């Protein structure tokens, strides 16, 4: 990676943008409401024909209690059920702009390295690449971009407030997945997915 400043200087650099004073309170209000209407995630084994990876279809409650779909991929040799999986961590992975969780047999590289992975759908996305299977009840079924300005003037109901809430609730859901209670949780993504990973890490106290 090429940067203009050395790493120590980069870590000490602060941007010019300053958040509004009520930002934390606003997000806490949004997340509290989402958690109040949420239900436990559902988990259903999905046969992919892959002998080294177990895949489960997961649905969890996001913004407004809306169900968000994901794939839970774990190394097939790990214990799965009422016991700890034995994986060193679970990676919650968010897709880039326009993409979704993909198909069940499309396994993230994290699983090949011995980690568990929860590949998340982004509501209303997934028709440009990486198939999606989660509609946005406020907006549309999985569709082609653009999404950036949807609900921009709607305050608490804006599209990306819903999507970021979904990202936080994905991290919340890990504690209720079979064999993953207490697992070390990592967030990852590129492009839009990187932004969602940063947002989730900032809003979730238990992200490693």
């Amino acid at each position: 990676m090429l940067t203009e400043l050395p790493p120590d200087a980069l870590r000490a650099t602060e941007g010019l943008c300053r958040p509004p004073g009520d930002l934390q309170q606003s997000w806490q209000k949004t997340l509290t409401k989402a958690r109040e209407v949420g239900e436990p995630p559902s988990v259903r084994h999905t046969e992919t024909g892959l002998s080294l990876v177990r895949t489960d279809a997961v649905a969890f409650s996001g913004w407004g209690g809306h169900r968000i779909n994901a794939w839970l991929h774990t190394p097939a040799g790990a214990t799965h059920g009422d016991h700890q999986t034995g994986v060193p961590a679970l990676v919650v992975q968010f897709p880039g702009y326009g993409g979704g969780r993909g198909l069940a047999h499309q396994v993230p590289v994290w699983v090949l390295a011995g980690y568990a992975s929860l590949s998340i759908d982004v509501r209303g996305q997934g028709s440009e690449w990486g198939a999606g299977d989660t509609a946005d009840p406020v907006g549309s079924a999985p569709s082609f971009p653009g999404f950036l300005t949807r609900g921009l003037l709607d305050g608490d109901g804006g599209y990306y407030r819903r999507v970021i809430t979904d990202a936080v609730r994905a991290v919340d859901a890990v504690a209720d997945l079979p064999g993953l209670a207490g697992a070390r949780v990592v967030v990852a993504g590129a492009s839009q997915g990187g932004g969602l990973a940063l947002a989730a890490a900032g809003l979730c106290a238990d992200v490693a």
Side-chain angles (χ1 to χ4, degrees), residues 151-192:
L152 192 61
L153 303 179
D154 193 20
D156 289 348
Y159 177 74
Y160 273 97
R161 181 170 289 265
R162 300 197 299 276
V163 169
I164 290 171
T165 301
D166 297 341
V168 171
R169 296 290 289 138
V171 175
D172 288 348
V174 172
D176 293 322
L177 297 179
L180 289 171
R184 189 167 184 259
V185 179
V186 179
V187 289
S191 192
Q192 170 187 258

Side-chain angles (χ1 to χ4, degrees), residues 114-143:
Y115 300 93
S117 176
L118 190 65
S119 297
I120 308 299
D121 258 348
V122 174
R123 60 169 66 220
Q125 298 190 31
S127 288
E128 183 180 15
W129 65 274
D133 190 32
T134 300
D136 180 9
V138 182
S140 71
S143 62

Side-chain angles (χ1 to χ4, degrees), residues 45-56 72-81 84-87 107-108 110-117:
H45 179 62
T46 300
E47 185 56 56
T48 63
L50 301 178
S51 60
L52 300 180
V53 178
R54 175 191 171 101
T55 297
D56 294 281
L72 174 62
H73 301 286
T74 52
T79 302
H80 196 77
Q84 292 295 330
T85 61
V87 296
V107 177
W110 311 108
V111 185
L112 306 181
Y115 300 93
S117 176

Side-chain angles (χ1 to χ4, degrees), residues 7 25 27 36-37 39-40 42-43 49-50 70 101 103 113 126 137 143 146 162 170 179 205:
Q25 295 91 328
W27 272 110
E36 287 174 349
V37 299
E39 298 180 357
S42 63
V43 182
L50 301 178
R101 64 177 179 168
L103 302 177
S143 62
R162 300 197 299 276

